[in-house]
Amino acid sequence: MRPIGFWLSVSVVMTACAGCGGGGTQKVTTSETTLTIARLDPSLPAAVQGLITKVVSVADSEPPATALKIPAGIAGVSSLIFAVDQNQNPILAAFANADTTVLSVDSTSVALVLSSLDPSSSSVLTYSQMEADVQNAAGYSALSAAVLFSLQSGTAPVTSSSVLGDVAIVVNQVIPVVLSQIATAETPSANTVRSSLSPAEIAGPPLPFQILGPIASLATFYSVYINAPDGNGGVEITNKLPIALHAYSADLSGNNIVGPNPGLSLPAAPPLFAYPQTATAVDVGGNGQQFLVTVDQNSAARDANVRQGIANVLIFIMNQALGKVATGVNVDACAQQGVTQLINGMGTAYNTVILSASTGAGVDLSLANNLTVASLGGAFKIAFSCAAKASTTSIFSTIATWLNPYNKWLQLLSLTAQALPTATQLSLTIYYWNLVQPVQVCESGNQVVACTQPLYGIEQSQAGTPTIVSLNPSSGTVSSLYAFPSNFYTGLSEGALDPLGHRYFQIVETDSGTASTQQLYTVDVTGASSPSVTQLPNLPAMWGLQFDASSGLLYGTEALGSGVPLVSLNPSTGAIESMYTFPITFYIVYAQGAVDSVGQRYFQIGMTGANSFQLYNIDLTGSAAPQVVSAPQIYNLVFDSSSGLLYGIEILPGDSYALVSLDPSSGSVGTIYSFPASSYPGLYDGALDPIEHQYFQIVTGQNSSQEQLYTIDLTGGTPTTVTNVPAILDLSY
């Protein structure tokens, strides 16, 4: 997770601000300095003013209210300075770019946000614009109030968890504003795009189709996207993110077309200041029909991105020290020399701790702990000697003074990653760490076409035989896929779909006349292989079956009622593991939960009293306690990873029903669509299309056995209906 921004990953606003200093591949020469009078705001608490012994810049260290050298460079350059105590702990901060710089609550609040964003040297945005963006953010007043309270309490703002939490909020409010301002330099695409990180993205016309990117409305800006068919049954993929990625492809049965080892490299694009953004399209092979393209970070991409993240730190320091953009030297190449020195100094920790981290937050924290003043100083000397060819080493002694508070600032800002772990949509390297993003592509006649994705479920035939069927949501056409033997019984809410693996899972009970047993059937819905059967001798029941694409496991509860366990089921081995036992006061009425495959969460609604219900949010990794919020009586629960909301059918007074959204963090409910009177949305008959943002629900009229399939647009609540569909249970998409 990366609200901490530029230091330890590649920020989405990297190199966005004219004259703010730092970041990116730039040209530099020798240092030039100017003077600023660094004063303390007289309204600061007297105790705070008494703590401060020095004001430190990259080029100087002086008492407050005296002339302080800062890099001069080009007009408007801003240099990060600190007011420190006798132990060089940063108390206040500011970006200095004028004859007088006032270190205050406001300057510190702005510096906390901008240093997390890396406002860097470019012709796109000025420092004043970036400062205004920060100050105009909705959360800025709360941030400045938290900074003031911290100072009044005798705590340095950068060590306050409350302050860092507010920094994270403002950072994530400012990023889309800055990106939209930068994006005016490019002509945005008007095509429909997706930026969902759901496990089952399906590419479709019109192109370009965005696979990854922080701005959903811009297909080709700061994103990875399918540009066009390549003429050979595959597609062209362009990477305009400033991070390296990796791609490979396979058919729907999992047979490699372009194997993952080594796969294809999607090199990092130049940062934003290099307008126009240029990137070379990479041909990813396909079969001219339906196939999967997967974009991820393999070991080579992760290594390249960590190295670039460290290089950005050195580039920032060099530009602070030199303060001038010129021609003739490739700063990024020089920084990489320093990176090599620094990584070599880490020894085996680089591979065993940093590159082996399972999460981006783990990478973040490991880097913060390993980037010491000594290691940064040594790497800087190598990079600086390459970039500046300096005839004097005086800069090394002055910068060493600045590195101490800078490094403390850097390490403490890493806590921001933990302060707002959900604010990740606009993050890059850290958010995409270990990402595996498959995208289904359908081609016909060298054209990318819309993939036809049916619904799946269980239909009971007139003879009572349960049958797995597919249902075309547009036409209502039903096709039988697999009929179970006559002595097999399928339970309610005991079916689930793996949309990428094209597998339908169903728990069935067999009755031999003398005993009954439970089995898990795994059915290939493409018909390419016969069903596999896994015996489940130790499972009394399993309700609310849900498939988790990230782990490959099934989840559900062992029973209805109170005090029941949530369990996982390995569909390959039949291994069952208890994950959590619900309290005795929590009664599960409807055997339906929902899984968040990206966030590794399981949601379950249950009754806690007369007309009183709660939503349990369970961390499937076991690293956090369940979160509980009040919720209405909702069934057919599904989770949408792109919106972060749950959807389902709410039972309302007067025997009426509505499709609603439910915020799992707050419990707030929004009505999407109210069903007509005398209409009954079926239990276990709802499903979600996370790509087109549609909800499917089979509905029965009061005086008719005729079923209708409702397809409801989640963004506008407008339904379309298909009549004469059969009663299908355990509906999945």
Side-chain angles (χ1 to χ4, degrees), residues 217-388:
S217 60
L218 300 176
T220 64
F221 178 75
Y222 238 55
S223 65
V224 178
Y225 58 93
I226 295 175
N227 187 51
D230 67 0
N232 297 308
V235 289
E236 295 179 355
I237 293 184
T238 301
N239 178 20
K240 283 194 176 180
L241 291 176
I243 59 172
L245 293 162
H246 169 255
Y248 54 96
S249 60
D251 64 23
L252 297 187
S253 297
N255 300 310
N256 289 334
I257 300 173
V258 176
N261 297 311
L264 299 170
S265 173
L266 302 178
L272 284 176
F273 69 84
Y275 274 127
Q277 262 195 307
T278 58
T280 302
V282 175
D283 288 346
V284 181
N287 57 10
Q289 303 171 24
Q290 295 189 33
F291 61 99
L292 292 177
V293 173
T294 301
V295 173
D296 67 359
Q297 280 196 45
N298 65 348
S299 58
R302 289 194 294 270
D303 175 63
N305 291 325
V306 170
R307 287 174 180 271
Q308 189 59 55
I310 300 171
N312 289 339
V313 176
L314 298 180
I315 291 167
F316 181 85
I317 297 171
M318 281 193 288
N319 284 330
Q320 287 284 309
L322 299 167
K324 184 169 183 175
V325 178
T327 59
V329 178
N330 186 326
V331 176
D332 188 74
C334 290
Q336 289 292 346
Q337 293 184 24
V339 170
T340 300
Q341 165 77 12
L342 192 150
I343 287 176
N344 288 342
M346 291 182 188
T348 58
Y350 179 68
N351 288 311
T352 60
V353 177
I354 295 174
L355 288 186
S356 298
S358 59
T359 65
V363 178
D364 217 351
L365 189 58
S366 295
L367 276 174
N369 290 334
N370 279 278
L371 294 182
T372 64
V373 171
S375 63
L376 281 173
F380 167 76
K381 286 184 179 182
I382 291 175
F384 184 85
S385 297
C386 164

Side-chain angles (χ1 to χ4, degrees), residues 675-718:
F675 290 93
S678 301
S679 295
Y680 297 91
L683 186 63
Y684 314 119
D685 289 347
L688 173 75
D689 174 359
I691 307 302
E692 298 296 343
H693 304 292
Q694 296 174 331
Y695 186 91
F696 304 103
Q697 178 64 53
I698 293 179
V699 178
T700 304
Q702 184 177 25
N703 299 316
S704 172
S705 60
Q706 178 175 294
E707 310 281 345
Q708 293 181 317
L709 174 67
Y710 277 63
T711 302
I712 303 172
D713 179 3
L714 293 176
T715 61
T718 305

Side-chain angles (χ1 to χ4, degrees), residues 604-670:
Q604 177 69 55
I605 288 180
M607 185 168 63
T608 57
N611 299 317
S612 176
F613 291 81
Q614 289 180 331
L615 170 71
Y616 266 67
N617 176 349
I618 299 171
D619 181 354
L620 293 175
T621 68
S623 59
Q627 298 177 359
V628 184
V629 296
S630 296
Q633 188 176 6
I634 299 176
Y635 62 92
N636 292 356
L637 205 62
V638 293
F639 179 76
D640 178 21
S641 62
S642 62
S643 67
L645 298 175
L646 292 156
Y647 294 93
I649 305 300
E650 182 181 5
I651 302 176
L652 301 170
D655 205 20
S656 58
Y657 303 84
L659 171 63
V660 298
S661 64
L662 173 63
D663 187 327
S665 299
S666 65
S668 61
V669 178

